[in-house]
Amino acid sequence: MTERNRIIEGERVYLREMTVEDTSDIVRWRNAPHVVKNFIYRKPLTNEDHLNWIKNKVETGLVRQFVICLKENDRGFGSIYFRDIDNENHTCEFGIFIGEAEMAGKGYGYEAQKLSMDVVFGEMNMKEVHLRVLSENKAAIRNYEKCGFILIEGEEDYTEDGEKILFMKAKRS
């Protein structure tokens, strides 16, 4: 890992830009049962799907995706992404997943999310970031709130399975 690939470093983790070489890890993480259960879109992801995502979303500037890495060994274990990037209105949608189950619940995701807020409101110059979260995912909601997201009252939706989706937003301070 070269220093230039590191976007932003925290105490225990750093974020780096996702590359095509990360495809097999991203697909494996995204299809892990503990990740799928908290995703709104639950269909299995294939390598081809991910490569199309890179070509049609990342390379066009509609998405910016990072791999979350542990500083002590450079091991990637999850991903953060900003999608539907609207540079005219300075808005986008946030998403995160911890792909390696043993890394969840240790504060790494929260640290990575805090770092990503510096990227999105600083380097990316966004004014407002939105996210969608399943109402039953209480741990994620608490982390989002600790990072400055607030619930958008009166806005909700439902998954194909009937699970309630909440909407949250954070604004640049």
Side-chain angles (χ1 to χ4, degrees):
M1 177 65 47
T2 62
E3 195 63 35
R4 66 181 170 74
N5 290 339
R6 293 185 183 199
I7 299 301
I8 190 165
E9 285 193 51
E11 196 174 309
R12 301 180 301 159
V13 303
Y14 66 88
L15 305 179
R16 66 167 174 78
E17 296 280 354
M18 181 216 44
T19 67
V20 170
E21 288 78 25
D22 295 309
T23 295
S24 63
D25 285 335
I26 296 287
V27 169
R28 181 174 49 83
W29 295 336
R30 177 54 185 76
N31 290 328
H34 73 277
V35 172
V36 172
K37 76 175 186 162
N38 289 312
F39 251 63
I40 293 165
Y41 180 80
R42 295 185 173 158
K43 293 183 174 69
L45 183 71
T46 66
N47 283 359
E48 183 180 359
D49 294 333
H50 190 256
L51 293 171
N52 284 334
W53 167 268
I54 292 171
K55 180 182 177 186
N56 297 316
K57 303 292 184 177
V58 176
E59 290 177 2
T60 63
L62 294 173
V63 169
R64 189 157 180 207
Q65 189 164 356
F66 304 93
V67 173
I68 307 166
C69 299
L70 200 56
K71 283 176 69 172
E72 70 183 36
N73 60 11
D74 291 327
R75 177 183 175 210
F77 62 88
S79 183
I80 284 179
Y81 55 92
F82 296 101
R83 60 177 280 167
D84 302 326
I85 296 171
D86 180 342
N87 288 311
E88 186 175 316
N89 293 304
H90 302 280
T91 62
C92 62
E93 183 175 332
F94 170 81
I96 181 172
F97 57 90
I98 303 301
E100 303 292 347
E102 72 277 6
M103 302 301 279
K106 297 182 179 191
Y108 297 129
Y110 172 70
E111 182 180 344
Q113 182 181 321
K114 292 227 13 130
L115 293 172
S116 74
M117 293 299 108
D118 291 341
V119 173
V120 77
F121 290 126
E123 177 189 329
M124 292 174 63
N125 197 30
M126 295 292 122
K127 292 179 182 173
E128 191 168 283
V129 179
H130 303 266
L131 65 81
R132 296 173 292 161
V133 60
L134 297 175
S135 64
E136 296 302 313
N137 194 348
K138 304 297 186 196
I141 293 168
R142 279 191 304 277
N143 277 341
Y144 297 146
E145 288 173 338
K146 286 184 353 187
C147 283
F149 283 88
I150 59 169
L151 191 63
I152 303 173
E153 295 294 332
E155 279 198 47
E156 58 188 49
D157 200 356
Y158 293 87
T159 66
E160 291 177 357
D161 301 333
E163 291 182 75
K164 189 177 191 179
I165 302 168
L166 302 177
F167 293 81
M168 300 179 82
K169 67 180 174 183
K171 293 185 177 190
R172 181 171 56 201
S173 48

